[in-house]
Amino acid sequence: MDQKTNTQYNPVTADIRRQVGQIVGAAGILEITEAYQQDASKLRYQPEMVVAPQHVHQVQALMRLANQHRFAVTPRGGGSGLAGGCLAVHGGVVLSLRNLEPICRIDSVNLIAEVTPGIITADLKAAACAQGLHYPPDPAGMELSTIGGNAATNAGGPACLKYGTTKDYVLGLESVLPTGELIKTGTRTRKGVVGYDMTQLLVGSEGTLGILTKLFLKLIPLPPAVAGLIAAFENLPQAMRAVTAIMGNGHLPSAIEFMDVKCLDLVQDLLPFPLPQHCACLLIVETDGGPDQVRTEIKSIADVCTRSGAHQLLTADSEPERDKLWKARREVSLRIHDSAAIYVSEDVTVPLGAIADLVSVLPAFEQEYNLRIYAFGHAGDGNIHLNITASDCHQMEQVEQGIAAILRKVLQMQGTISGEHGIGAAKKRYLPMELSPASIRLQKGIKQLFDPNGILNPGKIFP
Amino acid sequence: MDQKTNTQYNPVTADIRRQVGQIVGAAGILEITEAYQQDASKLRYQPEMVVAPQHVHQVQALMRLANQHRFAVTPRGGGSGLAGGCLAVHGGVVLSLRNLEPICRIDSVNLIAEVTPGIITADLKAAACAQGLHYPPDPAGMELSTIGGNAATNAGGPACLKYGTTKDYVLGLESVLPTGELIKTGTRTRKGVVGYDMTQLLVGSEGTLGILTKLFLKLIPLPPAVAGLIAAFENLPQAMRAVTAIMGNGHLPSAIEFMDVKCLDLVQDLLPFPLPQHCACLLIVETDGGPDQVRTEIKSIADVCTRSGAHQLLTADSEPERDKLWKARREVSLRIHDSAAIYVSEDVTVPLGAIADLVSVLPAFEQEYNLRIYAFGHAGDGNIHLNITASDCHQMEQVEQGIAAILRKVLQMQGTISGEHGIGAAKKRYLPMELSPASIRLQKGIKQLFDPNGILNPGKIFP
């Protein structure tokens, strides 16, 4: 049974609007600006109402009302997602968590952070850093994204390679269930095995099982030093083979990122150095740890890169140079987004040994489907962002065929169709390519159990 | 609705026995020795039949038969658990996974291991190590425990502090559902966000939601060097304050373990050094990484320990000395187990800053409830093993009152009643102390969804 096809969503009538107003107060009702119709994908959906409650009890009351009147509620953080996960696909109320009891408490004795969902990821990282602590997850959108959105989507980033993704830092949650009940999950400790792991079930559920209202996050001591290098390669598969060589030589860098030459062309003005000649790909490698250790390690990694065919090594050691380089890296997808009529961001991940094979076959896909494919991302964990563009907006069907072909290839390579962006509204048609009917049936059963009326973030994940 | 009180489990009749025999073959039927009635807790339950299938399709067929005839099936790995999780509480068939298609494939290009559940944890660690790779989880029972059992219970160990627990290494699973269906979850990659996190739902579910038949595990490069120190303290709270001082000074050791003097007395013959005078507690600290780095770091940690009041520092730097020390540490609970008429192993975890307070109140509990409490374990992550003993076997009621009082104290300190052992049959009466009715209701709903007839590992987790 699919609750989304069975449920009729009711419109947000004047009467409902009045009742919502009584719950959140005048200050809690926001104007339905264009921003609330979109995220960083190219999808758009019009909400009927946008609210930003300040208190958890208001979120609970809103959900009880939504169950009573059967209107859709779509939670939203920073709106920087790439899969349409925070869009009001079935209209109804968009629930911004940005103003919810802002708390960002760094507990330096217990090495945890107690955070409400609307805190911006970069602000949390800075607050931890100010106390000599480190919150490693670093999604590209971290200046815009909220920690609640990061947890809802299990956001990744370059640091995944060494430090894991958001889920590895969420120790416990407070969450409003679709029914309006508040539950606490997990612990404030580094270990805990009491009952099923409800924390990890909520993390990555893309706001379909509960509204995260508080997060307890693991922090670690801040590594005292960082060292980096940039290696230029004349061809992309060669660069990808250097990645496995780095790891195969016993190194675990804090990041191994790459940008192909198409991406580099778009952000050339932002780079802290002139682009080397004949460069098909840059690898950006960083290590963190003690000062001596990172120097030794980066030297050894430089040797591995040279032996693997890098034709030029560059450094970006000063803080401003590093910042500039990372800004360029994070800017890539925005520039691609703005460069073409059709833009689709795919987020495939393959086992490390298959990255070189995957990038080798991209030109054939470009030719067959008349696409332009930009490749960049997290080489160190096999998470390759393929930004697929076409210049003619009537080409969408061909683009979709091309994407399906690429995803089939990725799955043949034992990869996954989404490493960190999630399924949301954008990729749900592809879900059955990766998950079996039995798995989808169980997951829909879990959704039904949490949200009997199917009112929380409907139209997401399941096709 | 609690499926366990509603379901009548049928006995394993001669006819069922014959049909099970047809499924697993004569070689798959084991004698019901005493070993299959127990684990490392003091609980005992008598199974009606013990089978050890060699193929996944046999496991599937067994589950279909169990649904048809409504008999209980209890999966079992190494039988080294401390919570009775693998015991046949409702009789029926014990399903040993020890002989299931033994595979332990280390993929050094993709840095993953493909493993079947019956592989012994220590054997997996050794196989990874032989290829320069590291599987960090190190539960005390790792010479006996299986990787399937570790994943089912989300086993921890000293390495949790730096490296996390078993769940942090399980990328994907193949699992036979209680209905007999086989599902694949997760990925073979380091990232993956397609649908709900069914992998983490199965991990730590103590064999109540599915039978893990294959595991894809994350490996990391093997740290080239390890350095360690042992610090002796004259009182226990002082030692625990040294732990927060170590972390507060920016160190992230690969282990910070402790043993109080009661434990040390029991394993004195196993230590690689004579026990220092006036010693109330030993801290064992290890760091791993590059050779220079670990030397520098352990020196700095030694200074922190001295400043925190350690009255003697010892080293155990050679491989044989280190092995001897860790053997002593792992032997503690067995020696306590054998020392008293009543033995209950509690496994509480508190936030780091609360460890000193927790150990400070133990003498009062000992006096009030006439107990002897041994404290040891993973100081670095707040996971304190409290082994509670009493000399008179008629004292059980008082012991249970004392335990309940300690658990209440732990929860007041924002801790958890189980850090790594799990709930199983031993602790289910305490579950409602930590989890709310809404959380328990959802978890029972998930159990019902996966296992409509309640036949897989009944009588566990839920009171």
Side-chain angles (χ1 to χ4, degrees):
Chain A
M1 285 291 133
D2 184 339
Q3 72 287 345
K4 279 172 295 296
T5 54
N6 287 346
T7 308
Q8 293 294 325
Y9 296 101
N10 286 323
V12 178
T13 59
D15 181 51
I16 291 174
R17 196 176 301 272
R18 189 184 49 75
Q19 291 187 63
V20 173
Q22 282 172 347
I23 290 169
V24 298
I29 297 178
L30 307 186
E31 201 189 328
I32 309 176
T33 58
E34 216 178 321
Y36 293 109
Q37 299 167 24
Q38 51 188 295
D39 64 354
S41 70
K42 285 212 163 170
L43 299 173
R44 287 184 181 230
Y45 290 96
Q46 176 75 27
E48 296 165 70
M49 192 173 187
V50 180
V51 300
Q54 293 181 292
H55 302 290
V56 173
H57 68 82
Q58 296 170 335
V59 178
Q60 295 183 265
L62 177 69
M63 294 316 297
R64 284 192 295 262
L65 190 71
N67 275 289
Q68 199 183 326
H69 295 287
R70 305 287 166 96
F71 58 86
V73 175
T74 302
R76 181 182 177 96
S80 58
L82 284 149
C86 64
L87 302 184
V89 170
H90 289 276
V93 174
V94 161
L95 168 61
S96 167
L97 278 311
R98 289 299 303 281
N99 299 341
L100 191 76
E101 296 170 3
I103 295 171
C104 182
R105 196 171 291 143
I106 306 297
D107 176 345
S108 62
V109 173
N110 293 315
L111 306 189
I112 58 177
E114 179 183 346
V115 192
T116 42
I119 301 297
I120 298 291
T121 315
D123 293 343
L124 166 66
K125 287 173 76 77
C129 184
Q131 300 209 33
L133 295 171
H134 189 36
Y135 174 73
D138 54 355
M142 67 188 183
E143 306 282 347
L144 297 170
S145 70
T146 61
I147 194 69
N150 287 177
T153 57
N154 182 19
C160 167
L161 170 59
K162 180 168 179 178
Y163 290 109
T165 57
T166 304
K167 80 181 172 72
D168 298 303
Y169 294 86
V170 183
L171 299 172
L173 293 170
E174 289 178 18
S175 180
V176 173
L177 296 176
T179 53
E181 287 164 293
L182 181 71
I183 61 162
K184 297 182 185 198
T185 69
T187 59
R188 300 183 185 200
T189 56
R190 273 150 158 75
K191 282 178 178 165
V193 290
V194 175
Y196 299 152
D197 195 339
M198 304 298 276
T199 305
Q200 296 302 334
L201 187 58
L202 287 163
V203 169
S205 70
E206 305 194 34
T208 65
L209 297 181
I211 299 155
L212 313 183
T213 53
K214 189 173 279 184
L215 304 96
F216 296 94
L217 304 170
K218 178 166 92 169
L219 303 174
I220 59 173
L222 187 68
V226 177
L229 70 82
I230 299 106
F233 290 83
E234 286 181 356
N235 78 68
L236 193 50
Q238 198 177 38
M240 297 301 109
R241 281 190 289 271
V243 173
T244 37
I246 292 168
M247 312 276 282
N249 274 269
H251 298 292
L252 188 59
S254 48
I256 309 181
E257 298 288 295
F258 84 106
M259 288 185 271
D260 75 3
V261 67
K262 294 189 198 108
C263 299
L264 290 167
D265 279 343
L266 286 182
V267 293
Q268 216 170 139
D269 57 309
L270 299 176
L271 294 173
F273 42 71
L275 201 59
Q277 283 203 312
H278 313 300
C279 173
C281 174
L282 285 189
L283 274 193
I284 307 167
V285 185
E286 285 197 355
T287 61
D288 63 10
D292 297 338
Q293 174 209 351
V294 298
R295 261 195 304 274
T296 315
E297 192 160 16
I298 214 73
K299 208 166 153 292
S300 164
I301 292 172
D303 292 344
V304 175
C305 286
T306 306
R307 285 200 305 274
S308 303
H311 72 299
Q312 195 171 336
L313 296 179
L314 304 102
T315 51
D317 270 351
S318 75
E319 191 79 22
E321 283 175 325
R322 284 186 52 228
D323 284 352
K324 213 172 163 188
L325 183 63
W326 282 108
K327 190 172 168 2
R329 162 65 189 82
R330 281 196 291 266
E331 193 76 12
V332 167
S333 63
L334 286 178
R335 294 259 172 123
I336 303 170
H337 182 280
D338 295 342
S339 76
I342 294 180
Y343 161 86
V344 181
S345 158
E346 290 300 329
D347 166 44
V348 302
T349 305
V350 292
L352 293 178
I355 315 176
D357 294 340
L358 176 63
V359 298
S360 302
V361 298
L362 295 178
F365 285 111
E366 285 186 306
Q367 201 165 12
E368 185 172 349
Y369 297 95
N370 193 22
L371 310 171
R372 190 167 167 84
I373 304 178
Y374 297 80
F376 63 96
H378 317 301
D381 52 43
N383 184 201
I384 308 297
H385 295 317
L386 299 177
N387 284 8
I388 295 156
T389 67
S391 47
D392 180 350
C393 59
H394 297 100
Q395 229 183 300
M396 199 58 209
E397 201 179 324
Q398 206 176 18
V399 169
E400 282 175 7
Q401 284 168 6
I403 289 171
I406 293 169
L407 297 183
R408 274 194 297 275
K409 183 77 190 170
V410 164
L411 290 170
Q412 273 167 23
M413 291 172 158
Q414 317 243 36
T416 174
I417 62 172
S418 183
E420 56 182 26
H421 295 168
I423 300 301
K427 295 180 204 163
K428 59 188 185 173
R429 88 189 79 167
Y430 304 120
L431 194 79
M433 293 176 71
E434 183 159 339
L435 300 185
S436 67
S439 181
I440 293 175
R441 194 194 68 232
L442 278 180
Q443 296 188 37
K444 282 185 169 177
I446 292 172
K447 168 68 178 169
Q448 182 94 49
L449 178 69
F450 276 69
D451 186 9
N453 295 319
I455 49 157
L456 184 65
N457 208 0
K460 307 297 162 64
I461 302 181
F462 304 108
Chain B
M1 285 294 130
D2 184 338
Q3 73 285 347
K4 278 171 295 298
T5 53
N6 289 347
T7 308
Q8 292 295 323
Y9 296 101
N10 286 323
V12 178
T13 60
D15 181 51
I16 292 174
R17 196 176 301 272
R18 189 186 47 76
Q19 292 187 62
V20 173
Q22 282 173 349
I23 290 169
V24 298
I29 297 179
L30 307 186
E31 200 190 327
I32 310 176
T33 58
E34 216 177 320
Y36 293 107
Q37 300 167 25
Q38 51 189 294
D39 65 354
S41 69
K42 283 210 163 172
L43 299 173
R44 285 182 184 232
Y45 290 96
Q46 176 76 28
E48 296 166 71
M49 192 174 188
V50 179
V51 300
Q54 292 181 293
H55 303 290
V56 173
H57 67 83
Q58 296 170 334
V59 177
Q60 294 183 265
L62 176 67
M63 294 316 296
R64 285 192 293 265
L65 190 70
N67 276 289
Q68 200 183 325
H69 295 287
R70 305 286 166 96
F71 59 85
V73 176
T74 302
R76 182 182 176 96
S80 58
L82 283 148
C86 65
L87 301 184
V89 171
H90 289 276
V93 174
V94 161
L95 168 62
S96 168
L97 278 312
R98 289 299 303 282
N99 298 341
L100 191 76
E101 296 169 6
I103 295 172
C104 182
R105 197 171 289 141
I106 305 297
D107 176 344
S108 61
V109 174
N110 295 314
L111 306 189
I112 57 176
E114 180 183 347
V115 191
T116 42
I119 301 298
I120 297 292
T121 315
D123 293 344
L124 166 64
K125 288 175 76 78
C129 182
Q131 300 209 33
L133 295 171
H134 189 35
Y135 174 73
D138 54 355
M142 66 188 186
E143 306 282 349
L144 297 169
S145 70
T146 61
I147 195 69
N150 287 177
T153 57
N154 182 20
C160 167
L161 171 58
K162 179 168 179 177
Y163 291 109
T165 57
T166 304
K167 79 181 172 69
D168 298 304
Y169 295 85
V170 183
L171 299 171
L173 292 170
E174 290 178 17
S175 180
V176 174
L177 296 176
T179 53
E181 289 165 291
L182 181 71
I183 62 163
K184 298 182 185 197
T185 69
T187 60
R188 299 183 185 200
T189 57
R190 270 149 162 72
K191 281 178 179 167
V193 289
V194 175
Y196 300 151
D197 195 337
M198 305 297 274
T199 305
Q200 296 302 335
L201 188 57
L202 286 164
V203 168
S205 69
E206 305 193 37
T208 65
L209 297 181
I211 299 155
L212 313 183
T213 53
K214 191 173 277 185
L215 303 96
F216 296 94
L217 304 171
K218 178 165 92 167
L219 302 175
I220 59 173
L222 187 67
V226 176
L229 70 81
I230 299 106
F233 291 82
E234 286 181 355
N235 79 67
L236 192 49
Q238 196 178 41
M240 297 301 108
R241 282 191 290 271
V243 173
T244 39
I246 292 168
M247 313 276 282
N249 274 271
H251 298 292
L252 190 58
S254 49
I256 310 182
E257 297 289 295
F258 84 106
M259 288 185 269
D260 74 3
V261 66
K262 293 189 198 110
C263 299
L264 290 167
D265 279 343
L266 285 182
V267 294
Q268 216 171 135
D269 58 308
L270 300 176
L271 295 174
F273 42 71
L275 199 59
Q277 282 202 309
H278 313 299
C279 173
C281 174
L282 284 188
L283 274 194
I284 307 167
V285 186
E286 284 199 356
T287 61
D288 62 12
D292 297 337
Q293 175 209 352
V294 298
R295 259 194 304 273
T296 315
E297 193 161 15
I298 213 72
K299 211 167 150 291
S300 163
I301 292 172
D303 292 342
V304 175
C305 287
T306 306
R307 284 201 303 276
S308 301
H311 72 298
Q312 194 171 335
L313 296 179
L314 304 102
T315 51
D317 271 350
S318 75
E319 191 79 21
E321 281 175 324
R322 283 187 54 229
D323 285 352
K324 215 174 161 187
L325 183 62
W326 282 108
K327 189 172 169 358
R329 162 63 188 83
R330 282 197 289 268
E331 194 75 11
V332 168
S333 62
L334 286 179
R335 293 262 171 120
I336 302 170
H337 182 281
D338 295 343
S339 76
I342 294 182
Y343 160 87
V344 181
S345 159
E346 291 300 328
D347 167 43
V348 302
T349 306
V350 292
L352 292 179
I355 316 176
D357 294 340
L358 177 63
V359 297
S360 301
V361 298
L362 295 179
F365 284 112
E366 287 186 302
Q367 201 167 10
E368 186 173 348
Y369 297 95
N370 194 22
L371 310 170
R372 192 170 164 82
I373 304 178
Y374 296 80
F376 64 95
H378 316 301
D381 51 43
N383 185 200
I384 308 297
H385 296 319
L386 299 176
N387 284 9
I388 294 155
T389 67
S391 47
D392 179 351
C393 60
H394 297 99
Q395 229 182 300
M396 200 59 208
E397 200 178 324
Q398 206 178 15
V399 169
E400 282 175 6
Q401 285 169 6
I403 290 172
I406 293 169
L407 298 183
R408 274 193 297 275
K409 182 78 190 169
V410 164
L411 291 169
Q412 273 167 21
M413 290 173 158
Q414 317 244 34
T416 174
I417 63 172
S418 182
E420 57 182 26
H421 296 168
I423 301 300
K427 295 180 204 161
K428 60 187 185 172
R429 90 189 77 167
Y430 304 119
L431 194 80
M433 291 176 69
E434 182 159 341
L435 301 183
S436 67
S439 180
I440 292 175
R441 192 194 69 233
L442 279 179
Q443 296 188 38
K444 282 185 170 176
I446 291 172
K447 169 67 178 171
Q448 181 96 47
L449 179 69
F450 277 68
D451 186 9
N453 294 321
I455 49 157
L456 185 63
N457 209 0
K460 306 297 162 65
I461 301 182
F462 304 108

